[in-house]
């Protein structure tokens, strides 16, 4: 079965603190920080969008993989903030990595799990022999309605994974998905901000699908939580992934390396993929990683991954996720945040 | 100003990836690509060359009074960057908390250059980031 | 080749000419030049009209024919010359060539720009067309931005300071006070320049020439016939022009304008004079740094030395070398197509001894220097009294 040949990440440099958002809405910052387990979130600069983030991540992935971009036969970009309603983000990425014209290409949307859906699609194409390498990117500059609870978490970032059979840094042992029609979170065509079902997003949405997919994976592989060195779950806030991991029988040590939401917020399509990237940054050959994404609407993709010896020789070409996050961090206040997000009404 | 989508598209490789060219006769490197070599004139043969995007700032300025198309982006930093392979290239220096300086090392980045209103095209472009 | 002389000059007041359009401005300068040469419209054989972007500024193209029409030059050939901010100087050179070649005897060279009928940001965008659209303007790099890139590197390499830049504007305003045609007849101080709004670091608002309306015109005839028109014809002893890359970044050096150096070298050779022989010069100070470059590239100062010399007053009126006695582009105003012709008008007045309060003592040899874009075109003329 195919595996991961290389990966790359990107997170914008701007941050806004939970306190700065809470102050505007007269909320108690401490209880939000504790309730959502989030200190600050990333904000894209005015010249960044889901496409530029995808490109930065994709270029790092190509460099890390050490392959020729023209060997990539498929490029998928998953996002819920594609810059265009009609015109693919994936063609921008394909052009910007100079992958040439012989590329299967499409944009995906499945709330926060479109990027992992793209990984599964790339795996199918690689395993069937239709392509040598496939790339899937999860990238978002997600928006929370001002004053809504989502505003504390909706952030920007992305990660790109290259899937192939040669020269892999990690094998994907198995992947399964758990899907149902569950309206927990949505955004209609033309609407600026998403709507959600409040607490309905929790148990029937996030928890049911993540545990559903993960347990399905356990059943099909015979693996159990203690077989994994690390686990990554979708991170809409800093609390849910901890709770779901406890429910499934994982401990903090397993999820800590990939838990990024407390310091960058929920990067939506980037969320579980950035978590996986940060975990691979420190993983050793032979170690196993569980990844389960979640996309509202709803579904979860679960992966069992085993790191190979190949990871060591490519490390020198890596831009580590946590160093991307920490380097050049710049705090902005709420008014700068509004301007950055083009939220100031001028007419 | 409104531009045609073709005017973006026809230079897209150069704008996204610093694709320039080299004169096979005198080895001069150019960005953007030149049709005729400045040294050799018509006898030159130009071959494509993609620049790595590493270089250093030769000069810079902060534009505070922008053209209409950039009115929401000002102030922004502009630099002339000397690429490692030789050519001097003008470009934006993205904000990363480090003030641009002559001699500062830069690396190429991918960003939006500008957005044509609410319904027009988004123009992506190379920009530079000072990394030291 | 025949020697060529200027026998008539005309100029409008530069500035925000709210009640005058393109036609009124052209007619005002043109009539003044014809009267100065004591000729009528019927005597004119050929017209060259320098203008940069009338289509962008007013919607009007085909401006040379319009100019001929408005001045009553019935059915003569007329050609528009566009070389960005060097349109006027380039038109003068074409007029010079037409007379020198023997094809025409009486040629009018006009320059005009009507810039205030559009917003200042539209005007800036139009002026941006002088640079490379695809790579400079596309990335939001303005003209002040390009000259700021030059200034920053010049400061880095030669220790040029913001005070030195400011002193150019102060000197040129001092001269403009004495010129009734100037846009800004108001003295300014170095502190006022330094404290004005930053446009593109290190250039401030008062380092930049303004947006202006205006026109200028000259009448050219063969020197051998010049005395029929005017008692003090001014001979054009050199007319030289050069180009460089349109993109600033592609130049061999951005701290000099090579086009200026090449055009100047040719002009000195044609005129058989040296920089030290020049008594009065109008240079292209679209930005203060541009005058510093001009002083160096025209050979008056070594590279890197002009800033201090200007700050020390060496180029003030009737000091070592009188530079931009009209007030320059900064003080007199810069209706782009008119500027190159206006420079010639000012030098003619200086060499005739008609420059009134701003007369340079013993002015015998004059020079004009007109630049297009960030240095992509440079035109240099040298003039002498014919007597």
């Amino acid at each position: 079965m195919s595996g991961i040949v290389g990966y790359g990440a990107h997170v914008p440099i701007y941050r806004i603190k939970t306190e700065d958002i809470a102050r505007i809405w007269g909320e108690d910052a401490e209880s939000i920080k504790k309730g959502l387990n989030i200190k600050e979130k990333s904000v894209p600069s005015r010249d960044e969008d889901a496409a530029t983030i995808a490109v930065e991540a994709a270029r790092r992935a190509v460099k890390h993989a050490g392959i020729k971009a023209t060997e990539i036969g498929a490029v998928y970009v998953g996002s819920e903030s594609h810059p265009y309603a009609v015109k693919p983000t994936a063609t921008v990425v394909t052009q910007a990595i100079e992958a040439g014209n012989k590329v299967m290409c499409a944009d995906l949307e499945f709330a926060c799990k479109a990027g992992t859906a793209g990984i599964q699609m790339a795996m199918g194409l690689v395993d069937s022999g239709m392509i040598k390498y496939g790339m899937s990117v999860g990238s978002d500059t997600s928006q929370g309605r001002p004053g809504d609870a989502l505003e504390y978490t909706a952030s920007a970032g992305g990660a790109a994974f290259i899937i192939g059979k040669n020269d892999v840094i990690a094998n994907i042992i198995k992947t399964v998905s758990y899907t149902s029609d569950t309206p927990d979170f949505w955004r209609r065509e033309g609407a600026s901000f998403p709507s959600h079902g409040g607490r309905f997003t929790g148990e029937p949405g996030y928890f049911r699908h993540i545990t559903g997919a993960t347990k399905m994976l356990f059943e099909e592989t015979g693996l159990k939580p203690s077989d994994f060195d690390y686990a990554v779950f979708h991170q809409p806030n800093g609390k849910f992934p901890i709770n779901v991991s406890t429910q499934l029988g994982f401990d903090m040590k397993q999820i800590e390396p990939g838990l990024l939401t407390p310091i960058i917020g929920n990067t939506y399509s980037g969320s579980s993929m950035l978590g996986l990237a940060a975990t691979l940054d420190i993983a050793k050959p032979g170690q196993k990683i569980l990844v389960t994404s979640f996309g509202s609407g709803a579904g979860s993709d679960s992966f069992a991954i085993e790191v190979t010896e190949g990871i060591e020789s490519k490390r020198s070409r890596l831009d580590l996720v946590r160093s991307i996050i920490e380097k050049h961090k710049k705090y902005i206040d709420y008014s700068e945040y509004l301007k950055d997000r083009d939220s100031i009404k001028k007419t | 100003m409104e531009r045609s989508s073709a005017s973006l598209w026809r230079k897209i490789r150069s704008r996204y990836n610093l694709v320039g060219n080299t004169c096979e006769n005198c080895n001069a490197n150019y960005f953007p690509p030149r049709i005729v070599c400045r040294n050799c004139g018509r006898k030159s043969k130009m071959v494509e060359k993609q620049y790595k995007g590493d270089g250093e700032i030769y000069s810079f300025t902060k534009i505070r009074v922008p053209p209409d198309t950039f009115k929401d982006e000002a102030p922004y930093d502009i630099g002339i960057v000397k690429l490692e392979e030789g050519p001097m290239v003008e470009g934006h220096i993205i904000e990363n908390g480090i003030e641009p300086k002559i001699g500062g090392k830069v690396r190429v980045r991918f960003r939006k250059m500008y957005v044509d209103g609410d319904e027009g095209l988004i123009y992506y472009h190379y920009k530079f980031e000072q990394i030291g | 080749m025949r020697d060529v002389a200027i026998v008539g000059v005309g100029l409008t007041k530069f500035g925000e000419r709210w009640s005058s359009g393109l036609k009124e401005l052209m007619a005002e300068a043109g009539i003044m030049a014809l009267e100065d040469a004591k000729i009528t419209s019927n005597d004119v054989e050929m017209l060259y009209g320098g203008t940069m972007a009338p289509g962008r500024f007013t919607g009007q193209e085909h401006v040379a024919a319009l100019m001929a029409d408005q001045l009553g030059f019935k059915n003569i050939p007329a050609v528009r010359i566009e070389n960005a901010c060097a349109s006027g100087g380039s038109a003068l050179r074409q007029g010079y060539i037409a007379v020198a070649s023997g094809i025409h005897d009486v040629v009018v060279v006009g320059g005009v720009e009507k810039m205030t009928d559009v917003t200042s940001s539209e005007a800036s965008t139009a002026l941006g067309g002088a640079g490379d659209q695809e790579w400079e303007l596309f990335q939001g790099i303005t003209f002040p931005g390009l000259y700021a890139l030059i200034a920053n590197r010049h400061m880095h390499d030669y220790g040029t300071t913001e005070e030195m830049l400011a002193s150019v504007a102060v000197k040129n305003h001092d001269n403009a006070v004495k010129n009734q045609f100037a846009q800004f007849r108001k003295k300014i101080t170095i502190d006022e320049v330094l404290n004005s709004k930053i446009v593109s670091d290190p250039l401030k608002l008062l380092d930049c020439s303004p947006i202006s309306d205006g026109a200028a015109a000259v009448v050219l005839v063969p020197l051998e016939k010049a005395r029929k028109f005017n008692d003090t014809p001014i001979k054009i002893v050199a007319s030289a022009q050069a180009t460089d890359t349109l993109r600033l970044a592609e130049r061999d050096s951005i701290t000099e304008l090579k086009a200026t150096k090449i055009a100047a070298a040719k002009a000195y050779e044609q005129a058989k004079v040296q920089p030290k022989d020049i008594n009065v010069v109008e240079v292209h100070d679209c930005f203060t740094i541009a005058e510093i470059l001009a002083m160096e590239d025209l050979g008056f100062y070594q590279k890197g030395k002009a800033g201090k010399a200007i700050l020390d007053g060496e180029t003030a009126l009737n000091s070592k070398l009188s530079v931009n006695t009209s007030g320059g582009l900064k003080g007199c105003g810069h209706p782009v197509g008119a500027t190159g012709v206006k420079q010639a008008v000012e030098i003619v007045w200086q060499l005739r001894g008609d420059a009134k309060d701003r007369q340079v003592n013993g002015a015998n040899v004059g020079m004009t220097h007109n630049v297009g874009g960030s240095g992509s075109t440079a035109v240099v003329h040298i003039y002498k009294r014919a007597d």
Side-chain angles (χ1 to χ4, degrees):
Chain A
M1 209 170 178
S2 51
I4 297 163
V5 182
Y7 62 93
H10 183 72
V11 178
I13 66 161
Y14 292 115
R15 300 285 182 279
I16 186 163
K17 290 184 170 156
T18 301
E19 286 91 333
D20 283 331
I21 301 172
R23 189 172 52 238
I24 297 296
W25 303 110
E27 302 265 11
D28 175 28
E30 284 314 307
S31 71
I32 288 162
K33 283 165 80 172
K34 216 176 290 163
L36 296 174
N37 184 22
I38 180 154
K39 271 171 47 195
E40 58 200 44
K41 68 165 187 173
S42 63
V43 180
S45 62
R46 290 184 57 80
D47 61 359
E48 287 180 291
D49 61 17
T52 66
I53 290 169
V55 168
E56 295 287 2
R59 284 179 174 172
R60 285 179 173 134
V62 172
K63 181 178 133 203
H64 177 229
I67 61 169
K68 282 199 228 105
T70 47
E71 295 177 296
I72 295 171
V75 173
Y76 298 113
V77 178
S79 181
E80 61 100 73
S81 50
H82 288 292
Y84 290 93
V86 178
K87 194 207 163 294
T89 309
T91 56
V92 177
V93 174
T94 304
Q95 182 76 55
I97 60 172
E98 290 266 324
N101 302 112
K102 193 185 174 190
V103 182
M104 291 178 232
C105 201
D107 281 6
L108 306 175
E109 186 281 310
F110 195 149
C112 298
K113 83 160 190 80
T116 55
I119 291 178
Q120 293 175 325
M121 292 164 67
M123 289 172 67
L125 292 170
V126 168
D127 289 337
S128 69
M130 284 176 72
I131 60 171
K132 187 172 180 191
Y133 298 112
M135 173 185 277
S136 178
V137 191
S139 167
D140 259 309
T141 56
S142 51
Q143 297 252 34
R145 194 187 302 276
D148 188 275
L150 280 181
E151 196 182 12
Y152 294 98
T153 52
S155 70
F161 283 80
I162 296 172
I163 304 301
K165 281 184 174 171
N166 308 324
D167 205 17
V168 296
I169 60 158
N171 286 310
I172 299 174
I173 303 164
K174 182 86 190 170
T175 177
V176 295
S177 293
Y178 183 99
T179 307
S180 78
D181 190 5
T182 305
D184 57 332
F185 172 103
W186 62 93
R187 179 166 65 82
R188 291 269 300 278
E189 182 74 45
S192 303
F193 300 108
S195 303
H196 56 81
R199 289 185 56 77
F200 179 68
T201 58
E203 209 45 60
Y206 181 86
F207 289 95
R208 175 180 166 218
H209 291 84
I210 290 209
T211 52
T214 308
K215 283 177 179 164
M216 202 190 289
L217 187 81
F218 289 161
E219 262 168 42
E220 296 200 11
T221 57
L223 294 166
K224 54 187 186 304
S226 58
D227 294 325
F228 290 95
D229 298 277
Y230 304 105
V232 178
F233 300 103
H234 173 55
Q235 308 162 23
N237 52 52
K239 231 18 190 304
F240 279 18
I242 296 175
N243 294 349
V244 85
S245 67
T246 311
Q247 279 182 23
L248 285 164
F250 291 89
D251 61 30
M252 272 308 283
K253 249 179 62 191
Q254 286 164 296
I255 69 163
E256 218 149 33
L259 187 60
L260 301 172
T261 288
I263 51 169
I264 60 169
N266 178 11
T267 54
Y268 283 54
S269 302
S271 175
S272 50
M273 291 171 78
L274 275 169
L276 172 59
T279 306
L280 284 168
D281 280 351
I282 58 152
K284 300 275 182 310
Q287 290 189 321
K288 286 195 185 65
I289 304 169
L290 172 99
V291 183
T292 306
S293 63
F294 170 69
S296 288
S300 278
D301 304 326
S302 197
F303 299 83
I305 293 166
E306 184 172 20
V307 179
T308 70
E309 293 290 339
I311 200 165
E312 299 298 350
S313 62
K314 294 190 185 181
R315 274 206 210 280
S316 61
R317 295 198 294 262
L318 255 186
D319 290 294
L320 298 173
V321 177
R322 284 183 191 270
S323 83
I324 292 168
I325 290 172
E326 291 304 325
K327 213 160 90 182
H328 304 322
K329 206 160 68 168
K330 195 182 168 200
Y331 289 98
I332 57 174
D333 63 23
Y334 197 81
S335 45
E336 290 169 306
Y337 165 72
L338 285 184
K339 190 187 175 199
D340 259 2
R341 307 300 282 125
D342 258 333
S343 297
I344 300 176
K345 198 166 154 47
K346 287 189 275 188
T347 50
Chain B
M1 188 185 29
E2 285 173 29
R3 292 185 168 84
S4 70
S5 49
S7 72
L8 166 74
W9 168 81
R10 78 173 68 97
K11 295 284 156 75
I12 209 162
R13 296 190 64 217
S14 296
R15 295 200 187 285
Y16 283 13
N17 276 304
L18 289 172
V19 174
N21 61 8
T22 298
C23 171
E24 264 195 341
N25 191 39
C26 72
N27 296 319
N29 288 333
Y30 295 109
F31 183 86
R34 292 189 67 95
I35 300 152
V36 175
C37 174
R38 282 185 73 196
N39 301 329
C40 306
R42 60 191 296 179
K43 63 178 186 285
S44 56
K45 185 179 171 222
M46 309 302 283
V47 294
E48 191 177 285
K49 179 178 179 68
Q50 182 174 346
Y51 296 97
K52 248 179 79 191
D54 295 334
E56 63 173 59
I57 296 175
Y58 184 76
S59 191
F60 66 94
T61 183
K62 190 182 288 294
I63 293 191
R64 297 170 192 271
V65 180
D68 273 351
T69 38
F70 286 81
K71 65 179 187 302
D72 289 343
E73 317 310 321
Y76 48 89
D77 292 314
I78 293 291
I80 290 180
V81 166
K82 187 169 173 53
L83 296 175
E84 258 175 19
E85 300 92 338
M88 300 263 245
V89 177
E90 59 284 89
H92 279 240
I93 300 169
I94 64 174
E95 191 186 322
N96 67 355
I98 314 173
E99 282 302 309
K101 59 175 191 290
I102 288 176
K105 296 269 179 278
V106 299
R107 186 166 288 168
V108 75
R109 292 286 181 234
F110 187 82
R111 292 290 187 273
K112 285 191 281 190
M113 183 53 70
Y114 78 94
V115 176
D116 185 4
D118 288 336
E119 298 188 359
L121 280 179
I122 301 165
Y123 294 77
Y124 296 103
H125 216 268
Y126 70 78
K127 290 188 178 180
F128 294 101
E129 179 178 13
Q130 187 174 255
I131 52 169
Chain C
M1 286 268 290
R2 303 189 290 185
D3 286 334
V4 180
I6 300 176
V7 292
V9 296
L11 187 63
T12 70
K13 164 118 175 126
F14 282 8
E16 293 172 320
R17 296 287 307 266
W18 304 118
S19 52
S20 302
L22 207 49
K23 291 174 184 168
E24 287 80 8
L25 292 167
M26 294 185 306
E28 191 179 325
I31 290 163
M32 185 174 164
L34 296 186
E35 286 178 351
D36 190 39
K38 300 181 195 69
I39 58 172
T40 69
S41 302
N42 297 333
D43 300 316
V44 179
E45 295 173 26
M46 171 86 208
L47 169 83
Y48 290 95
T51 184
M52 177 188 166
R56 291 293 295 272
F57 292 128
T58 67
Q60 182 67 60
E61 307 289 8
H62 210 169
V63 167
L66 178 69
M67 217 182 260
D69 165 17
Q70 291 297 305
L71 284 161
F73 302 164
K74 287 193 196 103
N75 310 112
I76 66 161
V79 177
R80 168 178 160 185
I81 305 293
E82 188 275 304
N83 258 345
C85 303
S87 297
S90 303
L92 177 61
R93 182 169 148 78
Q94 291 308 307
Y96 167 86
I97 290 168
V99 175
S101 69
I103 291 179
H104 293 295
D105 272 355
V106 182
V107 170
V108 168
V109 175
V112 66
E113 214 75 58
K114 173 69 196 173
M115 301 171 75
T116 62
D117 277 352
V118 294
T119 64
S120 53
S121 94
E122 282 173 85
S124 304
T125 305
L127 293 170
D132 189 310
Q133 270 287 334
E134 281 186 333
W135 297 102
E136 292 175 337
L137 204 61
F138 188 93
Q139 299 191 61
I141 309 176
T142 58
F143 260 85
L146 289 170
Y147 277 92
L149 289 164
I150 294 173
N152 242 345
R153 187 71 201 193
H154 200 276
M155 291 164 79
H156 175 269
D157 288 357
Y158 302 110
T160 303
T161 65
E162 294 182 38
E163 288 78 9
M164 293 175 189
L165 296 173
S167 72
V168 172
V170 170
K171 170 188 70 75
N172 289 348
H173 272 245
D174 283 351
N175 291 342
V177 168
K178 297 175 176 148
N179 182 0
Q180 58 169 316
F181 295 93
Q183 183 164 359
F184 297 124
R185 304 191 67 191
K186 179 177 175 285
K187 282 181 178 283
I188 53 172
T189 65
I190 286 192
D191 277 348
E192 281 172 324
V193 179
L194 295 179
N195 292 323
S196 62
K197 177 183 163 183
I198 304 172
V199 173
S200 192
D201 308 52
L203 300 180
K204 291 120 202 137
L205 187 65
L206 292 179
D207 284 300
C208 307
S209 57
I211 285 167
S212 320
D213 304 325
V218 298
V219 180
L220 305 179
V221 299
L223 181 64
E224 69 220 24
K225 298 179 183 172
R227 279 183 209 287
K228 287 202 308 198
F229 301 91
N230 199 299
D231 296 336
T232 45
I234 302 301
K235 183 182 169 188
I236 297 176
V237 292
S239 176
Q241 187 169 344
T243 55
D244 203 345
T245 62
L246 212 65
R247 286 174 55 239
L248 176 66
E250 197 155 13
R251 308 262 167 84
D252 296 336
S253 163
I254 68 165
T255 52
E256 65 173 33
L257 299 193
K258 199 179 193 178
T260 295
K261 290 180 89 166
I262 292 169
K266 285 183 186 164
Y268 288 128
E269 198 190 322
Q270 287 171 24
K272 299 185 181 59
V273 297
Q274 294 179 337
K276 65 174 172 47
D277 301 319
I278 307 287
N279 309 119
V280 55
V281 56
E282 289 280 302
V283 302
H284 197 91
D285 60 320
C286 48
F287 300 94
T288 50
I289 182 65
E291 181 160 325
I292 291 173
L293 295 186
M295 287 293 97
E296 295 164 355
D297 299 336
L298 291 169
F300 298 117
Y301 291 96
Q302 279 186 336
K303 189 47 70 184
K305 305 284 188 202
K308 184 171 186 304
I310 297 168
L311 181 65
D312 290 348
E314 289 185 19
T315 61
L317 184 62
N318 281 316
S319 55
K320 211 167 149 190
L321 172 67
S322 298
V323 179
N324 279 336
T325 55
S326 70
L329 283 58
K330 173 68 199 85
C332 188
H334 184 29
V336 284
T339 284
V341 183
K342 178 221 78 177
Q343 294 177 324
V345 172
E346 175 68 10
I347 294 301
V348 166
W349 281 335
Q350 287 288 354
L351 299 186
R352 284 181 185 170
D354 286 347
K356 298 178 185 161
D357 293 350
R358 59 182 195 285
Q359 180 62 49
V360 174
N361 304 326
N364 279 312
V365 185
M367 175 188 262
T368 57
H369 163 251
N370 191 196
V371 173
S374 58
S376 313
T377 291
V379 190
V380 174
H381 285 93
I382 300 175
Y383 315 75
K384 271 186 186 170
R385 280 181 71 107
D387 45 5

